[in-house]
Amino acid sequence: MTRRTHFLAAILLAVIALTASAVSAHADRFRGNFRGGVFFGPRFAVGPYYYPYYYAPPPVYAAPYPAPYPYPAPYPAPYPAPAAGYPPPPAAAVQPGQYTIYFEFDRDQLPREASNVVQRVAAAYRAGGNPPVHVIGHTDRAGTPPYNVALSQHRAEAVRNALIRAGIPAAAISIAWRGEDDPAVNTPNGAREPRNRRVMIVIGNGPTS
C-alpha cells in the first residue's frame, strides 16, 4: 500500500468519524427536544416565512369536544314511542230532562208547536248517550174517566210516533197513559184545564208526574 493510499484511507476514516459524531449529536438533540410528546426541530425558510418542523399529537378534549376539532354531532336520540292515548272520559250521567206538549180540548192530534219540542227531545237523547225516554199521556177532568183514559192513550201514542220519526228508536221509548188522574192542576170534576191536557216526555230516570 502506497503512501498516497494511506493518506486517502486516513481522510476517509476521518470523514466517517465526523459523520458518526454529527449523527450521534443530532440524535441527542432529538431526544432532548422531544419534550412532553412534542418535538421541536430546526426551522426552514420558504420565501420570507419560517415554518417550524415539529410533531405534536392532537390534544385530547373532553366532551363535548370544543373547536378546533369539529367532531360530528352525535346522532339525535330517537323520539320516544308515543304514549298510549288516554281513554275517553266516561260519559256524564244524563240529567233527567222533562218536556211537555199541550193539546187542544178533546183532541189527540199534535199541535203545531209540538214539532219544536220533539226535535229538542231527539237532540237531548243523542247528546245524552241514548238514555231511556218515557212518554205519559194526560187529560183534564172534562168527560168521563173511561173516555179520558182512551184519550190520554191516543195522545201518548201520537207523541211516541213523532219521537220515532225524529230518530229515537222505538225500543228506547216507554209509553203510559193516566187519563184524568195525576193532574198538573187540581180542578173540580168536569172542569176544562189546558194545563192538564198534556203529554209529558221524560229523558232518563226522572219524575214522571
Side-chain angles (χ1 to χ4, degrees):
M1 182 180 292
T2 62
R3 183 176 297 185
R4 179 182 177 84
T5 303
H6 283 288
F7 178 73
L8 293 175
I11 293 176
L12 181 59
L13 290 175
V15 170
I16 293 172
L18 290 175
T19 302
S21 177
V23 170
S24 176
H26 184 71
D28 291 340
R29 285 199 304 273
F30 179 83
R31 289 191 296 270
N33 291 335
F34 195 83
R35 300 187 299 271
V38 180
F39 168 70
F40 297 92
R43 296 186 301 173
F44 58 94
V46 178
Y49 304 104
Y50 287 91
Y51 296 90
Y53 174 75
Y54 67 92
Y55 163 79
V60 177
Y61 290 98
Y65 311 116
Y69 295 93
Y71 287 83
Y75 289 104
Y79 289 104
Y86 291 104
V94 178
Q95 297 298 325
Q98 182 172 302
Y99 304 82
T100 305
I101 297 177
Y102 294 97
F103 285 77
E104 298 293 333
F105 176 72
D106 199 23
R107 297 291 181 90
D108 58 8
Q109 293 82 15
L110 289 176
R112 182 178 304 176
E113 60 272 13
S115 176
N116 293 333
V117 178
V118 169
Q119 295 303 321
R120 288 165 53 199
V121 172
Y125 171 81
R126 291 188 293 269
N130 306 340
V133 179
H134 309 282
V135 177
I136 307 98
H138 297 270
T139 67
D140 60 18
R141 302 193 70 181
T144 64
Y147 180 85
N148 288 335
V149 169
L151 180 58
S152 65
Q153 177 182 355
H154 296 160
R155 288 173 175 173
E157 290 174 347
V159 172
R160 176 179 179 271
N161 294 335
L163 294 176
I164 294 174
R165 290 193 297 270
I168 300 179
I173 305 173
S174 66
I175 185 172
W177 48 89
R178 297 179 180 173
E180 62 184 52
D181 296 337
D182 195 12
V185 179
N186 287 321
T187 63
N189 189 25
R192 298 182 179 183
E193 174 55 55
R195 289 174 290 179
N196 290 340
R197 300 191 296 262
R198 72 200 190 279
V199 169
M200 293 183 57
I201 307 169
V202 179
I203 299 179
N205 297 316
T208 55
S209 60

Short mmCIF file of all heavy atoms in Angstrom, two decimals, residues 67-123:
data_model
loop_
_atom_site.label_atom_id
_atom_site.label_comp_id
_atom_site.label_asym_id
_atom_site.label_seq_id
_atom_site.Cartn_x
_atom_site.Cartn_y
_atom_site.Cartn_z
N ALA A 67 -64.14 23.28 19.60
CA ALA A 67 -63.28 23.59 18.46
C ALA A 67 -61.85 23.66 18.97
O ALA A 67 -61.61 23.92 20.15
CB ALA A 67 -63.73 24.89 17.82
N PRO A 68 -60.77 23.49 18.17
CA PRO A 68 -60.81 23.49 16.70
C PRO A 68 -61.05 22.13 16.07
O PRO A 68 -60.81 21.99 14.88
CB PRO A 68 -59.42 23.99 16.35
CG PRO A 68 -58.56 23.43 17.43
CD PRO A 68 -59.40 23.45 18.67
N TYR A 69 -61.49 21.14 16.80
CA TYR A 69 -61.72 19.82 16.22
C TYR A 69 -63.22 19.62 16.11
O TYR A 69 -63.87 19.23 17.08
CB TYR A 69 -61.06 18.73 17.08
CG TYR A 69 -59.57 18.84 17.10
CD1 TYR A 69 -58.93 19.56 18.09
CD2 TYR A 69 -58.80 18.25 16.10
CE1 TYR A 69 -57.56 19.69 18.10
CE2 TYR A 69 -57.42 18.37 16.11
CZ TYR A 69 -56.80 19.09 17.12
OH TYR A 69 -55.45 19.22 17.12
N PRO A 70 -63.76 19.89 14.97
CA PRO A 70 -65.22 19.79 14.83
C PRO A 70 -65.69 18.36 14.70
O PRO A 70 -65.93 17.85 13.62
CB PRO A 70 -65.50 20.59 13.55
CG PRO A 70 -64.26 20.40 12.73
CD PRO A 70 -63.12 20.31 13.71
N TYR A 71 -65.80 17.71 15.84
CA TYR A 71 -66.28 16.34 15.82
C TYR A 71 -67.73 16.33 15.35
O TYR A 71 -68.49 17.25 15.63
CB TYR A 71 -66.18 15.71 17.21
CG TYR A 71 -64.77 15.39 17.60
CD1 TYR A 71 -63.96 16.38 18.15
CD2 TYR A 71 -64.25 14.12 17.44
CE1 TYR A 71 -62.66 16.11 18.52
CE2 TYR A 71 -62.94 13.84 17.82
CZ TYR A 71 -62.15 14.84 18.35
OH TYR A 71 -60.88 14.57 18.71
N PRO A 72 -68.11 15.30 14.64
CA PRO A 72 -69.51 15.27 14.18
C PRO A 72 -70.47 15.23 15.34
O PRO A 72 -70.21 14.62 16.37
CB PRO A 72 -69.59 14.00 13.33
CG PRO A 72 -68.46 13.15 13.83
CD PRO A 72 -67.37 14.11 14.23
N ALA A 73 -71.57 15.93 15.17
CA ALA A 73 -72.59 15.96 16.23
C ALA A 73 -73.13 14.55 16.44
O ALA A 73 -73.29 13.79 15.49
CB ALA A 73 -73.72 16.91 15.84
N PRO A 74 -73.40 14.20 17.68
CA PRO A 74 -73.96 12.86 17.92
C PRO A 74 -75.33 12.73 17.29
O PRO A 74 -76.03 13.72 17.08
CB PRO A 74 -74.03 12.78 19.45
CG PRO A 74 -74.09 14.21 19.90
CD PRO A 74 -73.27 14.98 18.90
N TYR A 75 -75.68 11.51 16.98
CA TYR A 75 -76.99 11.27 16.40
C TYR A 75 -78.07 11.66 17.41
O TYR A 75 -77.93 11.39 18.61
CB TYR A 75 -77.16 9.80 16.03
CG TYR A 75 -76.32 9.39 14.85
CD1 TYR A 75 -75.16 8.64 15.03
CD2 TYR A 75 -76.68 9.76 13.56
CE1 TYR A 75 -74.38 8.27 13.95
CE2 TYR A 75 -75.92 9.38 12.48
CZ TYR A 75 -74.77 8.64 12.67
OH TYR A 75 -74.00 8.28 11.61
N PRO A 76 -79.12 12.31 16.95
CA PRO A 76 -80.18 12.67 17.91
C PRO A 76 -80.84 11.42 18.47
O PRO A 76 -80.94 10.40 17.81
CB PRO A 76 -81.16 13.50 17.05
CG PRO A 76 -80.91 13.04 15.64
CD PRO A 76 -79.44 12.71 15.58
N ALA A 77 -81.23 11.56 19.71
CA ALA A 77 -81.90 10.42 20.34
C ALA A 77 -83.21 10.13 19.62
O ALA A 77 -83.89 11.05 19.18
CB ALA A 77 -82.17 10.73 21.81
N PRO A 78 -83.53 8.89 19.44
CA PRO A 78 -84.81 8.58 18.76
C PRO A 78 -85.98 9.10 19.56
O PRO A 78 -85.94 9.17 20.78
CB PRO A 78 -84.81 7.05 18.69
CG PRO A 78 -83.90 6.62 19.79
CD PRO A 78 -82.84 7.69 19.90
N TYR A 79 -86.99 9.51 18.84
CA TYR A 79 -88.19 10.01 19.51
C TYR A 79 -88.82 8.89 20.33
O TYR A 79 -88.91 7.76 19.88
CB TYR A 79 -89.19 10.54 18.49
CG TYR A 79 -88.75 11.81 17.83
CD1 TYR A 79 -88.26 11.80 16.53
CD2 TYR A 79 -88.82 13.02 18.51
CE1 TYR A 79 -87.84 12.97 15.92
CE2 TYR A 79 -88.40 14.19 17.91
CZ TYR A 79 -87.91 14.17 16.62
OH TYR A 79 -87.50 15.32 16.02
N PRO A 80 -89.24 9.21 21.54
CA PRO A 80 -89.87 8.15 22.34
C PRO A 80 -91.18 7.70 21.70
O PRO A 80 -91.82 8.46 20.96
CB PRO A 80 -90.13 8.83 23.69
CG PRO A 80 -90.17 10.30 23.37
CD PRO A 80 -89.21 10.50 22.22
N ALA A 81 -91.52 6.50 21.96
CA ALA A 81 -92.77 5.98 21.43
C ALA A 81 -93.93 6.80 21.97
O ALA A 81 -93.91 7.21 23.13
CB ALA A 81 -92.95 4.51 21.82
N PRO A 82 -94.88 7.12 21.11
CA PRO A 82 -95.99 7.93 21.60
C PRO A 82 -96.73 7.23 22.72
O PRO A 82 -96.94 6.03 22.70
CB PRO A 82 -96.89 8.09 20.35
CG PRO A 82 -96.50 6.95 19.47
CD PRO A 82 -95.04 6.69 19.73
N ALA A 83 -97.01 8.02 23.72
CA ALA A 83 -97.74 7.46 24.87
C ALA A 83 -99.11 6.99 24.44
O ALA A 83 -99.72 7.53 23.53
CB ALA A 83 -97.85 8.50 25.98
N ALA A 84 -99.54 5.95 25.07
CA ALA A 84 -100.87 5.42 24.75
C ALA A 84 -101.91 6.50 25.03
O ALA A 84 -101.83 7.22 26.02
CB ALA A 84 -101.16 4.18 25.59
N GLY A 85 -102.82 6.65 24.10
CA GLY A 85 -103.83 7.69 24.25
C GLY A 85 -104.67 7.48 25.51
O GLY A 85 -104.93 6.35 25.91
N TYR A 86 -104.98 8.58 26.10
CA TYR A 86 -105.81 8.48 27.30
C TYR A 86 -107.18 7.93 26.92
O TYR A 86 -107.73 8.29 25.89
CB TYR A 86 -105.97 9.86 27.94
CG TYR A 86 -104.69 10.38 28.55
CD1 TYR A 86 -103.95 11.36 27.90
CD2 TYR A 86 -104.23 9.89 29.76
CE1 TYR A 86 -102.77 11.83 28.44
CE2 TYR A 86 -103.05 10.36 30.31
CZ TYR A 86 -102.34 11.34 29.66
OH TYR A 86 -101.18 11.80 30.20
N PRO A 87 -107.72 7.08 27.73
CA PRO A 87 -109.07 6.58 27.41
C PRO A 87 -110.06 7.72 27.46
O PRO A 87 -109.89 8.67 28.22
CB PRO A 87 -109.32 5.54 28.52
CG PRO A 87 -108.42 5.95 29.64
CD PRO A 87 -107.20 6.55 28.99
N PRO A 88 -111.06 7.67 26.63
CA PRO A 88 -112.05 8.75 26.65
C PRO A 88 -112.72 8.83 28.00
O PRO A 88 -112.92 7.82 28.67
CB PRO A 88 -113.05 8.33 25.55
CG PRO A 88 -112.87 6.85 25.41
CD PRO A 88 -111.42 6.59 25.70
N PRO A 89 -112.99 10.06 28.44
CA PRO A 89 -113.65 10.19 29.74
C PRO A 89 -115.00 9.51 29.73
O PRO A 89 -115.68 9.46 28.70
CB PRO A 89 -113.78 11.70 29.92
CG PRO A 89 -113.75 12.25 28.53
CD PRO A 89 -112.84 11.34 27.76
N PRO A 90 -115.38 8.96 30.85
CA PRO A 90 -116.70 8.31 30.89
C PRO A 90 -117.80 9.31 30.61
O PRO A 90 -117.70 10.49 30.99
CB PRO A 90 -116.78 7.75 32.32
CG PRO A 90 -115.80 8.58 33.10
CD PRO A 90 -114.71 8.95 32.15
N ALA A 91 -118.80 8.84 29.94
CA ALA A 91 -119.92 9.72 29.63
C ALA A 91 -120.60 10.19 30.91
O ALA A 91 -120.80 9.42 31.84
CB ALA A 91 -120.93 8.99 28.74
N ALA A 92 -120.86 11.47 30.93
CA ALA A 92 -121.51 12.04 32.11
C ALA A 92 -122.91 11.45 32.25
O ALA A 92 -123.58 11.15 31.26
CB ALA A 92 -121.57 13.56 32.00
N ALA A 93 -123.29 11.27 33.48
CA ALA A 93 -124.63 10.75 33.73
C ALA A 93 -125.66 11.73 33.17
O ALA A 93 -125.54 12.94 33.34
CB ALA A 93 -124.84 10.55 35.23
N VAL A 94 -126.63 11.19 32.51
CA VAL A 94 -127.65 12.02 31.89
C VAL A 94 -128.54 12.62 32.97
O VAL A 94 -129.09 11.91 33.80
CB VAL A 94 -128.49 11.19 30.89
CG1 VAL A 94 -129.57 12.05 30.27
CG2 VAL A 94 -127.59 10.60 29.83
N GLN A 95 -128.62 13.95 32.95
CA GLN A 95 -129.53 14.61 33.87
C GLN A 95 -130.96 14.45 33.36
O GLN A 95 -131.21 14.65 32.17
CB GLN A 95 -129.16 16.09 33.99
CG GLN A 95 -127.78 16.33 34.58
CD GLN A 95 -127.66 15.80 35.99
OE1 GLN A 95 -128.62 15.85 36.76
NE2 GLN A 95 -126.49 15.28 36.34
N PRO A 96 -131.86 14.08 34.23
CA PRO A 96 -133.25 13.92 33.76
C PRO A 96 -133.75 15.21 33.12
O PRO A 96 -133.58 16.30 33.66
CB PRO A 96 -134.02 13.58 35.04
CG PRO A 96 -132.99 13.04 35.98
CD PRO A 96 -131.73 13.77 35.65
N GLY A 97 -134.33 15.06 31.96
CA GLY A 97 -134.94 16.20 31.28
C GLY A 97 -136.42 15.96 31.11
O GLY A 97 -136.86 14.83 30.88
N GLN A 98 -137.18 17.01 31.24
CA GLN A 98 -138.64 16.87 31.16
C GLN A 98 -139.18 17.89 30.18
O GLN A 98 -138.83 19.07 30.24
CB GLN A 98 -139.26 17.06 32.54
CG GLN A 98 -140.77 16.89 32.58
CD GLN A 98 -141.31 16.90 33.99
OE1 GLN A 98 -140.90 16.08 34.82
NE2 GLN A 98 -142.21 17.82 34.29
N TYR A 99 -140.01 17.42 29.26
CA TYR A 99 -140.63 18.26 28.24
C TYR A 99 -142.13 18.00 28.25
O TYR A 99 -142.58 16.90 28.59
CB TYR A 99 -140.05 17.96 26.86
CG TYR A 99 -138.55 18.08 26.80
CD1 TYR A 99 -137.73 17.03 27.23
CD2 TYR A 99 -137.95 19.24 26.31
CE1 TYR A 99 -136.35 17.15 27.18
CE2 TYR A 99 -136.57 19.35 26.25
CZ TYR A 99 -135.78 18.31 26.69
OH TYR A 99 -134.42 18.42 26.65
N THR A 100 -142.90 19.02 27.88
CA THR A 100 -144.36 18.89 27.92
C THR A 100 -144.94 19.41 26.61
O THR A 100 -144.53 20.46 26.10
CB THR A 100 -144.95 19.69 29.09
OG1 THR A 100 -144.34 19.26 30.31
CG2 THR A 100 -146.46 19.47 29.18
N ILE A 101 -145.88 18.64 26.07
CA ILE A 101 -146.64 19.04 24.88
C ILE A 101 -148.12 19.16 25.30
O ILE A 101 -148.68 18.21 25.84
CB ILE A 101 -146.49 18.02 23.74
CG1 ILE A 101 -145.02 17.95 23.30
CG2 ILE A 101 -147.38 18.39 22.55
CD1 ILE A 101 -144.75 16.91 22.23
N TYR A 102 -148.68 20.33 25.05
CA TYR A 102 -150.08 20.57 25.43
C TYR A 102 -150.99 20.38 24.21
O TYR A 102 -150.61 20.71 23.08
CB TYR A 102 -150.24 21.98 26.00
CG TYR A 102 -149.50 22.18 27.31
CD1 TYR A 102 -148.23 22.76 27.33
CD2 TYR A 102 -150.06 21.77 28.51
CE1 TYR A 102 -147.55 22.93 28.52
CE2 TYR A 102 -149.38 21.94 29.71
CZ TYR A 102 -148.13 22.52 29.71
OH TYR A 102 -147.45 22.68 30.89
N PHE A 103 -152.19 19.86 24.47
CA PHE A 103 -153.14 19.53 23.41
C PHE A 103 -154.38 20.43 23.50
O PHE A 103 -154.71 20.97 24.58
CB PHE A 103 -153.55 18.05 23.51
CG PHE A 103 -152.48 17.09 23.04
CD1 PHE A 103 -151.38 16.81 23.85
CD2 PHE A 103 -152.57 16.48 21.81
CE1 PHE A 103 -150.41 15.92 23.43
CE2 PHE A 103 -151.59 15.59 21.38
CZ PHE A 103 -150.51 15.30 22.18
N GLU A 104 -155.06 20.51 22.38
CA GLU A 104 -156.35 21.20 22.34
C GLU A 104 -157.41 20.35 23.06
O GLU A 104 -157.23 19.15 23.27
CB GLU A 104 -156.77 21.46 20.89
CG GLU A 104 -155.83 22.36 20.11
CD GLU A 104 -155.82 23.78 20.64
OE1 GLU A 104 -156.86 24.21 21.22
OE2 GLU A 104 -154.80 24.48 20.47
N PHE A 105 -158.47 20.99 23.39
CA PHE A 105 -159.54 20.29 24.11
C PHE A 105 -160.11 19.17 23.25
O PHE A 105 -160.44 19.37 22.07
CB PHE A 105 -160.65 21.28 24.49
CG PHE A 105 -161.83 20.63 25.13
CD1 PHE A 105 -161.76 20.13 26.42
CD2 PHE A 105 -163.02 20.46 24.41
CE1 PHE A 105 -162.85 19.52 27.01
CE2 PHE A 105 -164.12 19.84 25.00
CZ PHE A 105 -164.03 19.37 26.31
N ASP A 106 -160.17 18.00 23.83
CA ASP A 106 -160.76 16.80 23.21
C ASP A 106 -160.08 16.44 21.88
O ASP A 106 -160.71 15.91 20.97
CB ASP A 106 -162.27 17.01 22.98
CG ASP A 106 -163.00 15.69 22.78
OD1 ASP A 106 -162.47 14.64 23.24
OD2 ASP A 106 -164.06 15.68 22.14
N ARG A 107 -158.77 16.71 21.79
CA ARG A 107 -158.01 16.39 20.57
C ARG A 107 -156.80 15.52 20.93
O ARG A 107 -156.21 15.67 22.02
CB ARG A 107 -157.53 17.66 19.86
CG ARG A 107 -158.64 18.56 19.35
CD ARG A 107 -159.36 17.89 18.19
NE ARG A 107 -160.42 18.73 17.66
CZ ARG A 107 -160.24 19.62 16.67
NH1 ARG A 107 -159.04 19.79 16.16
NH2 ARG A 107 -161.26 20.33 16.23
N ASP A 108 -156.43 14.65 19.98
CA ASP A 108 -155.20 13.87 20.15
C ASP A 108 -154.19 14.14 19.04
O ASP A 108 -153.17 13.48 18.95
CB ASP A 108 -155.51 12.38 20.25
CG ASP A 108 -156.25 11.86 19.01
OD1 ASP A 108 -156.39 12.61 18.02
OD2 ASP A 108 -156.70 10.69 19.05
N GLN A 109 -154.49 15.12 18.16
CA GLN A 109 -153.54 15.50 17.12
C GLN A 109 -152.47 16.42 17.73
O GLN A 109 -152.79 17.27 18.58
CB GLN A 109 -154.23 16.20 15.95
CG GLN A 109 -155.16 15.32 15.14
CD GLN A 109 -156.53 15.20 15.79
OE1 GLN A 109 -156.87 15.98 16.68
NE2 GLN A 109 -157.31 14.21 15.34
N LEU A 110 -151.25 16.24 17.25
CA LEU A 110 -150.16 17.08 17.77
C LEU A 110 -150.38 18.53 17.35
O LEU A 110 -150.64 18.82 16.18
CB LEU A 110 -148.81 16.59 17.24
CG LEU A 110 -148.29 15.26 17.79
CD1 LEU A 110 -146.99 14.88 17.10
CD2 LEU A 110 -148.06 15.36 19.29
N PRO A 111 -150.26 19.48 18.27
CA PRO A 111 -150.36 20.89 17.89
C PRO A 111 -149.13 21.33 17.10
O PRO A 111 -148.11 20.63 17.02
CB PRO A 111 -150.45 21.60 19.25
CG PRO A 111 -149.78 20.69 20.19
CD PRO A 111 -150.05 19.29 19.71
N ARG A 112 -149.20 22.51 16.50
CA ARG A 112 -148.12 22.98 15.64
C ARG A 112 -146.81 23.14 16.39
O ARG A 112 -145.74 22.82 15.88
CB ARG A 112 -148.54 24.32 15.02
CG ARG A 112 -147.53 24.91 14.06
CD ARG A 112 -148.05 26.20 13.47
NE ARG A 112 -149.34 25.99 12.82
CZ ARG A 112 -150.06 26.99 12.28
NH1 ARG A 112 -149.64 28.24 12.36
NH2 ARG A 112 -151.22 26.71 11.70
N GLU A 113 -146.87 23.64 17.60
CA GLU A 113 -145.63 23.88 18.36
C GLU A 113 -144.99 22.59 18.87
O GLU A 113 -143.87 22.62 19.41
CB GLU A 113 -145.90 24.81 19.53
CG GLU A 113 -146.92 24.30 20.54
CD GLU A 113 -148.35 24.66 20.16
OE1 GLU A 113 -148.59 25.09 19.01
OE2 GLU A 113 -149.24 24.51 21.02
N ALA A 114 -145.67 21.45 18.73
CA ALA A 114 -145.09 20.20 19.21
C ALA A 114 -143.85 19.79 18.43
O ALA A 114 -142.98 19.09 18.95
CB ALA A 114 -146.14 19.09 19.15
N SER A 115 -143.73 20.23 17.17
CA SER A 115 -142.58 19.83 16.36
C SER A 115 -141.27 20.30 16.98
O SER A 115 -140.28 19.55 17.02
CB SER A 115 -142.72 20.38 14.94
OG SER A 115 -141.59 20.08 14.17
N ASN A 116 -141.24 21.54 17.49
CA ASN A 116 -140.01 22.04 18.13
C ASN A 116 -139.66 21.24 19.37
O ASN A 116 -138.48 20.94 19.63
CB ASN A 116 -140.18 23.52 18.49
CG ASN A 116 -140.28 24.40 17.26
OD1 ASN A 116 -139.76 24.06 16.20
ND2 ASN A 116 -140.96 25.54 17.40
N VAL A 117 -140.67 20.86 20.16
CA VAL A 117 -140.40 20.08 21.37
C VAL A 117 -139.84 18.71 21.00
O VAL A 117 -138.89 18.22 21.62
CB VAL A 117 -141.68 19.95 22.21
CG1 VAL A 117 -141.43 19.10 23.44
CG2 VAL A 117 -142.21 21.33 22.61
N VAL A 118 -140.40 18.09 19.97
CA VAL A 118 -139.94 16.77 19.56
C VAL A 118 -138.48 16.83 19.11
O VAL A 118 -137.66 15.95 19.45
CB VAL A 118 -140.85 16.21 18.45
CG1 VAL A 118 -140.22 14.97 17.81
CG2 VAL A 118 -142.22 15.89 19.00
N GLN A 119 -138.10 17.86 18.36
CA GLN A 119 -136.71 17.99 17.91
C GLN A 119 -135.76 18.21 19.07
O GLN A 119 -134.64 17.69 19.09
CB GLN A 119 -136.59 19.13 16.89
CG GLN A 119 -137.35 18.88 15.59
CD GLN A 119 -136.89 17.61 14.90
OE1 GLN A 119 -135.70 17.28 14.87
NE2 GLN A 119 -137.85 16.87 14.34
N ARG A 120 -136.19 18.97 20.05
CA ARG A 120 -135.34 19.18 21.23
C ARG A 120 -135.15 17.89 22.00
O ARG A 120 -134.06 17.59 22.51
CB ARG A 120 -135.97 20.25 22.12
CG ARG A 120 -135.88 21.66 21.56
CD ARG A 120 -136.81 22.60 22.30
NE ARG A 120 -136.60 22.55 23.74
CZ ARG A 120 -137.49 22.97 24.65
NH1 ARG A 120 -138.66 23.45 24.23
NH2 ARG A 120 -137.21 22.91 25.92
N VAL A 121 -136.20 17.10 22.11
CA VAL A 121 -136.09 15.81 22.80
C VAL A 121 -135.13 14.88 22.05
O VAL A 121 -134.29 14.21 22.66
CB VAL A 121 -137.47 15.16 22.95
CG1 VAL A 121 -137.35 13.74 23.48
CG2 VAL A 121 -138.36 15.99 23.86
N ALA A 122 -135.23 14.85 20.72
CA ALA A 122 -134.33 13.99 19.93
C ALA A 122 -132.88 14.42 20.09
O ALA A 122 -131.97 13.58 20.21
CB ALA A 122 -134.75 14.01 18.47
N ALA A 123 -132.63 15.73 20.09
CA ALA A 123 -131.26 16.22 20.27
C ALA A 123 -130.73 15.88 21.66
O ALA A 123 -129.57 15.46 21.82
CB ALA A 123 -131.20 17.72 20.03
#
